Amino acid sequence: MSESGSGPGSAADDRLAPVLRPVRAGNGFEEALEQILQVLRLGLVPDGGRLPAERELADRLRISRVTLREVLKVLQDQGLVESRRGRYGGTFVRARPEPAVGGEDELRRRVEAVDVEDTLRFREVLEVGAAGLCAAHGRGDGQARRLRAALDATRDAPLADYRRLDTMFHLTLAELAGSPSLAAQYAAVRATVNDLLDCIPLLVKNLEHSQAQHGAMVEAVLDGDADGAREVMREHCEGTAALLRGFLI
């Protein structure tokens, strides 16, 4: 495989930071597989996009390239990624089939697989806390630009790409809270939330409301209004929770 790819400090590096971290000794293969699956489930690398180069992935996960290739082989066997050779080669994310929105069997399977209420409450705790931390600690110019860029991307997103870019916005906020542990926990719970969101339709009215809340949240964070940021985020999480309860429970 080609070793070209995203280098440290790149935009891709920022996107993957909440998820990719050194694995613990003894479970290198399993934990590396879990983390890269999270990257795919969260859409941090879009369909057709290239994963970071082998050398970079192995360094960030602190595993050997032999172990990494075993992980990538599993993902390729499952049809999630494909390997391309040559100057512009690498490991690329394959497009996933469209989720079965409204399919009763799929709804039942996903709801039974998780504790929906626990997931939604844990998500709210993490997101409200992250919003408050971002506002209270202040943001430098570079971090403010990242947050505004993530917000702008959701505004300009085509409907089919909205949830992926919405995920990126929330992950950016979690990462800028300054706690890698919080960001990692949020990435994990967001992957579960996305599995549930994929089972319900995109509602334009809901997206418009969410975008208004996103804008208010960013302004509160950049103004240093921690109470305001927490309150807007709490309302935002409650709106998503109400939508999921209405469709799934």
Side-chain angles (χ1 to χ4, degrees), residues 10-22 31 34-40 42-45 56 60-61 126 130 146 166-191:
S10 67
D13 184 82
D14 289 335
R15 290 198 302 270
L16 304 185
V19 177
L20 295 183
R21 56 198 181 279
E31 291 191 19
E34 176 189 18
Q35 290 186 35
I36 297 177
L37 279 169
Q38 274 192 16
V39 167
L40 302 182
L42 290 166
L44 301 187
V45 179
E56 180 185 347
R60 294 178 68 167
L61 294 166
L126 293 174
R146 277 190 60 199
D166 175 65
T167 297
M168 296 295 303
F169 170 76
H170 284 271
L171 279 171
T172 299
L173 193 65
E175 186 184 357
L176 294 180
S179 168
S181 296
L182 185 155
Q185 288 293 317
Y186 178 69
V189 79
R190 179 68 192 224

Side-chain angles (χ1 to χ4, degrees), residues 3-70:
E3 292 308 316
S4 61
S6 305
S10 67
D13 184 82
D14 289 335
R15 290 198 302 270
L16 304 185
V19 177
L20 295 183
R21 56 198 181 279
V23 303
R24 292 169 294 183
N27 292 312
F29 172 82
E30 291 81 5
E31 291 191 19
L33 180 61
E34 176 189 18
Q35 290 186 35
I36 297 177
L37 279 169
Q38 274 192 16
V39 167
L40 302 182
R41 290 170 67 198
L42 290 166
L44 301 187
V45 179
D47 293 344
R50 182 170 54 183
L51 292 175
E54 281 188 12
R55 181 182 294 113
E56 180 185 347
L57 273 176
D59 286 348
R60 294 178 68 167
L61 294 166
R62 305 282 175 83
I63 58 175
S64 70
R65 289 174 68 178
V66 171
T67 298
L68 176 63
R69 286 170 182 161
E70 292 171 347

Side-chain angles (χ1 to χ4, degrees), residues 96-107:
R96 293 183 297 173
E98 289 297 317
V101 175
E104 290 300 322
D105 290 343
E106 182 66 7
L107 283 172

Side-chain angles (χ1 to χ4, degrees), residues 110-120 192 196:
R110 294 194 186 192
V111 171
E112 290 176 352
V114 299
D115 184 329
V116 177
E117 287 296 337
D118 178 69
T119 298
L120 295 175
T192 301
L196 298 174

